[in-house]
Amino acid sequence: MQFRPLGRSGLQVSPLCFGGNVFGWTVDEPTTFSLLDAWVDAGFNFIDTADVYSRWAPGHMGGESEAMIGQWLKRSGKRDRIVLATKVGKDMGDGKVGLGSDYIRRAVDDSLRRLHTDVIDLYQSHDDDAGTPLEETLGTYADLIREGKVRAIGASNHSAKRLAEALDTSERLGVPRYESLQPLYNLYDRDVFEKELRPLCLEKGVGVINFYALAAGFLTGKYRSAADVDKSPRGAKVVQTYLNDRGLRILAELDQVAERYEVTPGQVAIAWQMAQPGITAPIASASSLDQLQELVQAASLKLDADALESLSQASAEAA
């Protein structure tokens, strides 16, 4: 496994990150434990979650994913084999939202308790909070790093303008900066990252751990018509967002490249992302050992220049 540096944080991460949004939602505890064991035993070390996962599910309060990962860490003893990332800032209910100092301090302690760990390797601002001064947020993170509760910080769902402001603020204050960005990026969702965010991340040396690497399953080829909508809870959104002429063109090219390499379309989609400038580790999830094995194999797939270019052309957005 060739690890990659995450920004300038000093953290070294596997070239693919396991997304923990499924834990405690569509994946039960025994399956979660087997997936995480298999992930680490295959040589990967990067796991991403958030305090809000999976508050959207009926009867859930948030914290389910962190709690399940925490139970796995407690039972497995594999804490020193992973880089553990979580997030704060999305609405947890009862006024628990945002990036104010008091709330971050309460939230980080809650996450540490659920995760059964003394330190979070990468603590990320899940959403931008324009109502809280960057000085307050970044100063609080600096304190948490000094206290040993957090090793490095990152940003998620930030515009290029706001990320640049945050980086400038850290430099001005002399405090730790956002070392990673978690943006939406995949073969279909390219425009915002490539035009606005990637140039900034490359210039500043910020690591990129993009989410929706498989476009909610669309890039696996699972959804090819409206009739496929009932295949998973994500189906309706996939059909609305991706199932159009451009989406079908992308699937057709994925099929062709996959056939040439004798792999699956999803593996090709991930390999294309891993080869893109500025990308550190795409985030993808799996709900079965078979799906996880596909991710493991995708991490070692190297596409040639012709395959990369044909995929880029097929997925190009209209000017």
Side-chain angles (χ1 to χ4, degrees), residues 35 39 54 96 189 191 199 217 224:
L35 288 169
W39 185 249
S54 49
K96 296 184 288 186
D189 300 293
D191 195 55
R224 294 177 183 268

Side-chain angles (χ1 to χ4, degrees), residues 198-253:
R198 179 161 64 191
L200 175 64
C201 291
L202 288 171
E203 177 190 353
K204 300 294 186 180
V206 174
V208 177
I209 51 175
N210 54 296
F211 66 88
Y212 266 35
L214 291 172
F218 176 74
L219 297 174
T220 67
K222 181 178 182 179
Y223 307 96
R224 294 177 183 268
S225 71
D228 297 328
V229 68
D230 294 327
K231 287 186 176 180
S232 82
R234 292 175 166 182
K237 180 177 181 180
V238 168
V239 169
Q240 292 174 355
T241 305
Y242 301 117
L243 199 54
N244 51 43
D245 289 345
R246 179 168 169 258
L248 293 174
R249 186 171 70 246
I250 293 170
L251 289 185
E253 189 60 36

